Every structure is written in C-alpha cells, then in structure tokens.
Amino acid sequence: MLIRFNIKNFLSFSDREDGRSEEFSMIAGKVRSKKEHLYEDGKLKLLKFAAVYGANASGKSNLVKALDFMQRIVVSGFPEGHTDRYCKVAAECRDQESYFELEILLNDKYYAYGFEVILNQSRFTSEWLVELTADNKERLIFSRDIVKGTYEFGGAVKTKGLLEKLNVYAEDIQEDSSVLLLSIMNQNKKTLYQQFEQAAIFQDVYMWIRNGLDINYPDRPISDYSYMAETENVEEICRIIAAFGTGITDFQMVEVPAEKVLGHLPKKIQEDLLADMEKKTVDRKTELDEAATGIIMRSNRDFFILNIDKEGNMICRTIKFSHGKKNILFELSEESDGTVRLLDLLEVLLSESGKTYIIDELDRCLHPGLRYKFVETFLELAAQRNIQLIVTTHESRLLDFDLLRRDEIWFVNKRRSGESDIYSLEEYNARFDQKIDKAYLEGRYGGVPVFNPVFPVREV
C-alpha cells in the first residue's frame, strides 16, 4: 500500500517555500469517524481512498504523471521525452535535480525508495532504499551517491556471500549514471533470489512498483477484462453490473473467427502475436489451464482472447452482453461509453488486496450519481480488503462528509508563478456540519478556476 509520495522539479511541481518537495500522503489524519475506511496495524493508519480536486491545468494530472514517470523509469528506464519534463517555471530548474520518493507498506514493513535525477542530462545523482521503523528511524538497505562514486549496503543484505555479489553489481554500474540499481537487481537475477532469501527485498519493492501501482488515464482502457475471462463467479459480476443501472443482465464468452480479428491488424503485429502464441504453446509442457496461456487483446471498444488448443488450433473468444430477459447478445462496441467505462472500473471493485489504483479523471463518461455510487461501493468493499484507490476529479458531490473523511480530500492549486501545490482538506480543519462542496466551489480551499471577463464591456 502507498504511504507517501514526494516529488520535486517535475512538470508543474517545483518545491515548497521551505525548499522541501511536494508531498501527497495516504497517512490518516486526526479524523475519528469512518474508521472502516482505514488500514490499521497498531503502528500506522492508512487511507484506502483519496479524491484529488483542482481546476483545469492546476496540476492534478501531473501528480498522476509523476507517479507514472517514476514507475516507468524503474521498470523500463528513461521514457521518451524525459529530458523536457523538469519544472519550467524558472530557468535554473533545467539543470537542477528532480526528486522522486515512494514510501510503501510491503509485507507488514515500511520502506522508502527514491532517487534524484537531472532530467535534462539523463543522469541519476543518487538512489536509496531504506526500511522505516515505527519510531521514525531508518535502516539502510542500500544507498548510492553517484556523483561521488560511492555506495553502501546495510541490514540483512550484508549477509556473507550476498554482500560480495551486491558489491559486484554496484561496481559494474558505478560509473553509469543512466541506470538504477533496483532495476539492475531485477534483470536476470533468478538464481540470486533462489540462493539468498535476504535479497528478496530488491525484488519485492520492484514488483510492487511494477504491478502493485496500477496507473490509469482517461483515454486508455483501465482493464483488460481478465476478471470476466477467468472468474467463475459470473453471477456476482452480473449483480454488480446491474446494480449500477447499465441494463446489462448477463454476459457470455463467445467464439469468433480468429482470422476476422487478426485480419484487421498490421502484418508485423500479426507475426508478433503468432510467434508469442507459439512460444506459449511450447512452454505449456506442464499442465497449465488454457486461460493461463491465452493472449488478451483490448482496445477502447473491442476485447478478444486468443488461445491455442491441444490440437494446435487457434481459438478466439470475445465478450457479449444481454439486456433484459430476451437472449439477445450485444458486442462491447455497441455499449455506451459510460457502460464501457463502468465495466473497466469493475476491476477495481473485484480486485484482491495489495493494489493501489490511480485513476485520472474518474468523471469521464460517468453520470454524477454513478460516480458517487461507485466510490460508495468501493469504500464498502475496501473495508474488507487492503486496497487503495486514488482519483482525480471535479465531482463536487463527493465532497460530502456522509461519504468521505476530511483527510480523504486533497487539492492541487496553481500559484501565480505557475507551480502547483498539493494539500489536504485536513489542513483546514473544516467542521463536519459544513457544506464542503459549496465552500469548495466558492474558492475557500483553492483548486478552482479564477475567471476574467470573456467579453469585457467597452467604454463608449
């Protein structure tokens, strides 16, 4: 689970007036109500939901992009266009360090992982991973000062045998300021993790960043619908879908001609898909089920699963939906944009513990009442799971103390200079009998647009 995220010198985020990084936190405040919204382990209380508000161009989406950027760097290296992502409000930011740090709850322990990087030069200057203790102390796992050419390992990873291997890996990249040690530790290191269980922390943190942090944008599909393709609890899914007023009463997986699906794809993609399918078939020497070896293809309005059966034939399936009592099936492309958006969001409601979902613009294509219902349903289900959902939104109906806690509401506001500030409603100590949505729209907490006259009156 996410504890905190700190960012500095990235897009519209510069630094605070005291020079510190901007901070987004899922640590619970002093609110006493709705304790079922929290994860508690006796040492820490974490929120399971947060709504981030702000005017258009205030920087809400930049918070999502910052998390996405950090994830991409760790998993895949520098993404395209990274040299231009520093905060441009001041000329000196161009050659200054950008700061990224995640604090996470993992396997009942707390960790902080981060790095500093000069984006314009594609050059990391430092990297660290520490365990955080309940008394606010840090236990070093590793740190790199890339500028000085030094590094250090600590704690359990200093085990004899493992430390020697870690020193070799660190030495190999010590003069390469374009790579992260955490990334290197998750490339072709299977035998290392089999040999030294103490090394698992490198893999666990990496896998949480790669898989535990699920980031979604409004113009991309949120789900690959694997929850529909693999689950046996069809009735439960249909019940949830129907509860949101979509009119869908049932769904089925039906076969479609594979050539019809592949025929619309470019030749190169067809070849890559077939090669991948053949590899999966060869690898299926152990008795895996058919779904485990399938390839899921998902676009905004289409969904297909490709499999190769035991005889080597390609099987293609898609999903179709029933409305009402008549057994008439409709394709995904025939459903409304709002229904498709909701079907995507269902994955969040059906997800098991352990994931932190980030959804930019929850409002997209959804009726205001449905947005409220979705958040309300998530909070009911999250009471039984250690799962988090963070959304950016303009939906003022969610600003309701009957639904949310004060510390679950965040704002992003842009200064006159162009930098974005992040802050929580908790800082305002708003009364529980106050109409928060009205106060927000009146500009009491910032994060709303400030208008000038569009057609100023001309003096005659």
Side-chain angles (χ1 to χ4, degrees), residues 70-90:
M70 184 176 185
Q71 182 187 57
R72 287 173 181 267
I73 280 188
V74 171
V75 175
S76 308
F78 285 113
E80 185 178 352
H82 69 275
T83 57
D84 208 31
R85 299 288 183 89
Y86 57 87
C87 185
K88 297 178 181 178
V89 297

Side-chain angles (χ1 to χ4, degrees), residues 145-157:
D145 187 325
I146 301 169
V147 175
K148 293 181 179 178
T150 60
Y151 62 88
E152 182 181 0
F153 294 97
V157 301

Side-chain angles (χ1 to χ4, degrees), residues 159-364:
T159 304
K160 185 177 180 181
L162 174 58
L163 181 60
E164 286 75 10
K165 289 184 177 292
L166 294 176
N167 285 332
V168 171
Y169 300 142
E171 287 289 346
D172 286 345
I173 64 169
Q174 193 57 18
E175 296 187 13
D176 188 350
S177 61
S178 67
V179 297
L180 293 169
L181 180 62
L182 186 66
S183 303
I184 293 296
M185 289 299 299
N186 285 274
Q187 296 176 7
N188 304 315
K189 299 292 188 296
K190 183 177 180 180
T191 55
L192 175 74
Y193 295 117
Q194 291 174 340
Q195 187 177 0
F196 299 99
E197 62 179 18
Q198 298 89 342
I201 185 58
F202 293 100
Q203 190 175 53
D204 292 344
V205 171
Y206 175 87
M207 294 303 291
W208 188 90
I209 294 174
R210 192 182 82 170
N211 299 328
L213 193 58
D214 197 311
I215 300 171
N216 303 277
Y217 292 101
D219 57 347
R220 302 179 197 168
I222 294 174
S223 170
D224 63 4
Y225 292 167
S226 56
Y227 70 89
M228 290 188 176
E230 299 175 6
T231 184
E232 296 179 356
N233 198 357
V234 174
E235 290 184 3
E236 177 67 8
I237 293 176
C238 288
R239 185 189 65 79
I240 296 175
I241 293 174
F244 285 99
T246 62
I248 293 175
T249 54
D250 196 6
F251 71 90
Q252 297 178 29
M253 301 300 299
V254 298
E255 287 192 20
V256 293
E259 57 271 15
K260 178 181 177 181
V261 177
L262 296 176
H264 293 290
L265 300 175
K267 186 176 180 181
K268 180 63 169 64
I269 296 179
Q270 289 187 43
E271 292 173 350
D272 291 344
L273 270 173
L274 292 172
D276 197 8
M277 291 293 293
E278 289 176 4
K279 182 180 184 302
K280 286 176 175 287
T281 304
V282 171
D283 292 342
R284 194 173 59 185
K285 291 181 180 178
T286 55
E287 289 299 320
L288 298 175
D289 62 4
E290 188 174 292
T293 61
I295 292 178
I296 294 177
M297 300 169 57
R298 172 78 206 279
S299 68
N300 284 333
R301 303 309 301 259
D302 286 306
F303 165 77
F304 301 101
I305 300 178
L306 294 174
N307 290 101
I308 293 180
D309 63 20
K310 295 179 180 178
E311 286 72 37
N313 301 311
M314 182 174 290
I315 306 297
C316 183
R317 294 182 296 159
T318 190
I319 190 169
K320 292 190 177 183
F321 303 92
S322 296
H323 289 255
K325 296 181 179 180
K326 295 182 179 179
N327 191 25
I328 301 174
L329 296 177
F330 295 85
E331 296 181 358
L332 181 65
S333 59
E334 296 178 278
E335 299 293 342
S336 71
D337 291 341
T339 296
V340 173
R341 178 72 166 168
L342 180 60
L343 291 171
D344 278 350
L345 290 170
L346 284 189
E347 179 173 317
V348 180
L349 301 182
L350 295 165
S351 178
E352 297 300 322
S353 296
K355 270 200 171 186
T356 297
Y357 284 91
I358 316 288
I359 298 179
D360 192 21
E361 294 188 26
L362 176 68
D363 315 347
R364 181 64 64 92

Side-chain angles (χ1 to χ4, degrees), residues 7-8 22 26 34 62 130 133 139 144 182 184 196-197 224 232-233 243 250 269 271 307 334 344 377 425-426 449 455:
I7 180 68
K8 183 177 179 180
E22 291 287 343
M26 295 295 282
K34 297 180 175 60
N62 286 344
V130 297
T133 63
R139 293 175 183 163
R144 297 171 66 204
L182 186 66
I184 293 296
F196 299 99
E197 62 179 18
D224 63 4
E232 296 179 356
N233 198 357
D250 196 6
I269 296 179
E271 292 173 350
N307 290 101
E334 296 178 278
D344 278 350
T377 304
L425 181 61
E426 178 80 350
F455 300 108

